[in-house]
């Protein structure tokens, strides 16, 4: 594996497409929690914009929500790969992936606003699909119904398997969907 900066792995898990767009990975550490909290807050900014709270109240709420989400993920996905995504020495996102015997579950994928829509997520998702496909496994993810990335998931062959209220449980099926990964 090639290292791009201290601790950053550019060819993690054989994810060539992500490496081609300049994404490297490192395993999450306690030192990453402030960045991950800011990243989480960025994913909720639009949703909280109309809420008539002070910025301090919003920040406290988001910190509490981030901590709760982080604890939930750690408890329910104990064997996951908890990865920080970096580009050119800058932390730009997170990718959490658990590999189960029957499927790979994408727990979360998120990028800072200035790094969204640049193809990094698509490259990483295509790599994750290819990895699962090679193992004969499905890929699943919970996606908020109003998430703009929903179009990307559908384009890659994910289908809604179950309505979970605010979220859809989406699945790419190894046996039924053969997405051209190139």
């Amino acid at each position: 594996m090639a290292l791009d900066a201290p601790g950053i792995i550019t060819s993690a898990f054989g994810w060539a497409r992500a490496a081609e767009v300049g994404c490297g990975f490192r395993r999450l550490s306690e030192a990453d929690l402030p960045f991950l909290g800011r990243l989480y807050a960025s994913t909720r900014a639009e949703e909280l914009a109309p809420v008539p709270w002070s910025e301090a109240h919003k920040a406290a709420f988001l910190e509490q929500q981030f901590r709760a989400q982080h604890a939930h993920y750690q408890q329910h996905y104990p064997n996951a790969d908890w990865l920080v995504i970096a580009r050119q020495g800058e932390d730009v996102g997170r990718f959490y992936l658990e590999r189960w015997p029957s499927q790979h579950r994408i727990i979360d994928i998120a990028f800072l606003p200035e790094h969204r829509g640049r193809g990094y997520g698509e490259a990483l998702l295509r790599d994750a699909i290819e990895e699962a496909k090679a193992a004969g496994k499905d890929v699943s993810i919970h996606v908020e119904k109003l998430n703009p990335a929903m179009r990307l998931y559908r384009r890659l062959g994910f289908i809604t398997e179950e309505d979970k209220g605010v979220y859809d449980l989406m699945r790419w099926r190894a046996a039924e969907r053969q997405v051209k990964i190139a």
Side-chain angles (χ1 to χ4, degrees):
M1 282 185 221
L3 292 178
D4 140 81
I8 303 296
I9 305 165
T10 56
S11 58
F13 312 107
W15 294 340
R17 287 171 196 80
E20 286 173 10
V21 296
C23 290
F25 306 88
R26 76 167 179 282
R27 299 206 183 274
L28 182 145
S29 73
E30 288 291 316
D32 293 310
L33 292 179
F35 163 72
L36 294 170
R38 286 190 312 276
L39 175 62
Y40 174 82
S42 78
T43 68
R44 305 280 307 270
E46 187 176 324
E47 173 187 359
L48 284 181
V51 176
W53 295 345
S54 69
E55 290 305 311
H57 190 183
K58 287 179 183 180
F61 172 77
L62 289 168
E63 176 66 18
Q64 181 271 332
Q65 291 290 294
F66 165 69
R67 294 285 176 175
Q69 181 194 64
H70 184 73
H72 174 83
Y73 284 170
Q74 296 285 314
Q75 178 184 355
H76 292 282
Y77 302 99
N79 300 311
D81 281 316
W82 308 100
L83 302 173
V84 173
I85 305 167
R87 271 193 99 254
Q88 300 173 341
E90 177 188 1
D91 293 342
V92 300
R94 68 182 184 182
F95 186 62
Y96 301 162
L97 178 69
E98 176 110 20
R99 293 171 182 87
W100 290 329
S102 64
Q103 65 179 288
H104 289 185
R105 168 65 57 88
I106 297 172
I107 303 161
D108 195 59
I109 180 172
F111 290 89
L112 291 171
E114 61 271 24
H115 295 280
R116 295 176 193 154
R118 295 185 176 193
Y120 310 148
E122 181 174 352
L124 184 51
L125 288 168
R126 286 181 181 279
D127 284 338
I129 289 169
E130 185 172 272
E131 178 187 313
K133 179 180 175 183
K137 297 180 184 180
D138 294 354
V139 180
S140 64
I141 184 170
H142 287 93
V143 182
E144 285 185 343
K145 292 180 186 303
L146 299 177
N147 185 332
M150 184 70 80
R151 292 183 309 274
L152 171 61
Y153 293 113
R154 293 204 187 288
R155 192 171 77 240
L156 292 175
F158 284 81
I159 58 167
T160 298
E161 182 172 81
E162 188 176 345
D163 184 327
K164 298 277 200 173
V166 175
Y167 295 91
D168 282 344
L169 174 60
M170 300 189 77
R171 184 177 303 271
W172 178 90
R173 294 198 179 275
E176 296 174 15
R177 302 249 184 235
Q178 298 304 318
V179 173
K180 183 177 179 184
I181 312 271

